[in-house]
Amino acid sequence: MTDRPTLRSSLPDPLSSPPGTPVAVAPPPAGTGQPAAAELPLVAAVARGVALIVVLPVRLLWELIAAAGRLVYRYLLTPTGRFLRRWLLAPLAWALHRLVLLPLVWAARHLVWLPLVWVGRALGWVARTLVWLPLVWVGRGLGWVARTLVWLPLVWLAYALAWVARTVIWSPLLWLARRGLRPPLHALGRALRWLAEHLVLRPLRWLGAALTPLGRLLRRGIGALDRLFSAAFVGLLSGIGWLVTGFVRLVVGFVRLLVAAVVGAWRAAGWVLRLLYRWLLRPIGRALRWLWRHTVLPLLRAVRWVWSVTVVPVARGIRAAWRATVVPAARWVRHAVLDPARLASREVLSALGLRR
């Protein structure tokens, strides 16, 4: 909160002058060419009265609250904070660091971490010596057994079977194919070739030579029909294209007109809303924000400060006094008076038979 200089009006004080005294009006500066505007003493007096009745008390109250806040901050809160930081928080932090954190770190390092490291090394040595090395030896033994007793006999058996198949089966079959089956197959192939040449190819050549003129005539007729149908199809497609183009142009024109109308309406609505926002909503929002910042917010801050300075300490004091006076007395009355009286009345009623 800062001290703001009080703005003094340049108007004459009508309250200090006796009634009926004419008020001197400053002449307009020479050379302006404007007529002198006559001031209204009544309006000035009303404005000065409103300022003295409304603005001055609020200003004095605000300055009083600001001065009280500065005094409390300078002579109460700042020394209290320094005292707490120097004589409470700093020793407490030193004690926590020296008496709690360092012993915990030492205990965690020497009582937890180093034993865990030793246990991990011992477990690693045990796992390597009693588990890994025996497994390696067993794996090597199994590999040697598998290679010597399984793989090599299988290799020798495969070599033997390959030699038997090559010598006993493949060689006789190859000799039989070369000596016994090749000449008959060669003769059969020549016979099939002669039959295909004289019974299939030559009749097909004669038939092709006979059908060639008929094929040329048929090709010419098909070409003429093709040209005729092509011309008709092109004309039909041209007519359909003209109709579709006209319809598309009509639809596009209608859509353009509709879009232009929608865009114009949108722009007009935006222009109206922009004017409404610029000339109505934004000034109202700025006025409400100014009122909130300069009236409600300072009032809320002042109320909160007064509450924290007055009500909260008083409530805390009342609570402490209640706990220091009323609560022990109530406990003493309950333990020393009410409980013995209740027990005595219960025993009397039990002795008289009025209570079971």
Side-chain angles (χ1 to χ4, degrees), residues 279-295:
W279 298 106
L280 181 61
L281 298 179
R282 188 168 63 181
I284 292 175
R286 289 182 177 179
L288 293 176
R289 183 176 63 182
W290 186 87
L291 289 175
W292 174 265
R293 287 183 177 179
H294 294 83
T295 58

Side-chain angles (χ1 to χ4, degrees), residues 310-331:
T310 59
V311 178
V312 174
V314 171
R316 290 178 179 176
I318 293 173
R319 184 179 62 182
W322 178 271
R323 290 181 177 179
T325 58
V326 178
V327 172
R331 290 178 180 175

Side-chain angles (χ1 to χ4, degrees), residues 24-299:
V25 179
T32 57
Q34 297 179 358
E39 296 184 359
L40 299 178
L42 182 59
V43 175
V46 171
R48 182 60 62 86
V50 170
L52 291 176
I53 295 173
V54 178
V55 179
L56 185 59
V58 174
R59 180 66 181 180
L60 292 177
L61 180 61
W62 179 256
E63 294 295 336
L64 180 61
I65 293 173
R70 288 195 297 271
L71 291 176
V72 169
Y73 176 77
R74 182 178 299 175
Y75 296 106
L76 181 61
L77 297 179
T78 302
T80 304
R82 291 176 181 175
F83 174 78
L84 292 176
R85 184 182 62 183
R86 182 176 298 177
W87 299 104
L88 181 61
L89 297 179
L92 182 60
W94 181 87
L96 290 175
H97 180 73
R98 296 292 181 180
L99 301 178
V100 177
L101 183 61
L102 293 180
L104 286 177
V105 171
W106 183 87
R109 182 179 180 184
H110 291 83
L111 299 179
V112 178
W113 178 250
L114 291 180
L116 288 177
V117 171
W118 298 336
V119 170
R121 291 178 180 177
L123 291 177
W125 181 84
V126 169
R128 183 175 181 275
T129 306
L130 301 180
V131 179
W132 179 250
L133 292 179
L135 288 178
V136 170
W137 298 335
V138 171
R140 290 179 180 177
L142 292 177
W144 181 84
V145 169
R147 183 175 181 276
T148 306
L149 301 179
V150 179
W151 179 251
L152 291 179
L154 288 177
V155 171
W156 298 337
L157 181 61
Y159 283 155
L161 292 176
W163 182 83
V164 170
R166 182 180 179 183
T167 306
V168 177
I169 299 175
W170 179 252
S171 296
L173 288 178
L174 185 61
W175 182 85
L176 180 63
R178 288 180 179 179
R179 301 295 181 180
L181 296 177
R182 185 176 181 181
L185 291 176
H186 188 66
L188 180 62
R190 287 182 179 181
L192 292 176
R193 180 181 178 184
W194 184 86
L195 291 175
E197 180 71 24
H198 290 81
L199 297 179
V200 177
L201 293 179
R202 286 186 180 181
L204 288 177
R205 290 173 185 173
W206 298 339
L207 183 62
L211 293 178
T212 298
L214 183 62
R216 290 178 181 176
L217 182 61
L218 184 62
R219 185 180 64 182
R220 291 178 182 178
I222 291 173
L225 291 176
D226 181 38
R227 288 191 295 273
L228 179 62
F229 282 112
S230 297
F233 185 70
V234 168
L236 181 62
L237 287 181
S238 299
I240 293 174
W242 183 80
L243 291 177
V244 171
T245 303
F247 180 73
V248 169
R249 288 180 180 178
L250 181 63
V251 172
V252 169
F254 179 73
V255 170
R256 286 182 178 178
L257 181 61
L258 183 62
V259 169
V262 172
V263 170
W266 178 265
R267 290 180 179 177
W271 182 74
V272 172
L273 292 176
R274 186 167 60 251
L275 290 180
L276 181 63
Y277 171 76
R278 181 180 297 176
W279 298 106
L280 181 61
L281 298 179
R282 188 168 63 181
I284 292 175
R286 289 182 177 179
L288 293 176
R289 183 176 63 182
W290 186 87
L291 289 175
W292 174 265
R293 287 183 177 179
H294 294 83
T295 58
V296 179
L297 190 60
L299 183 61

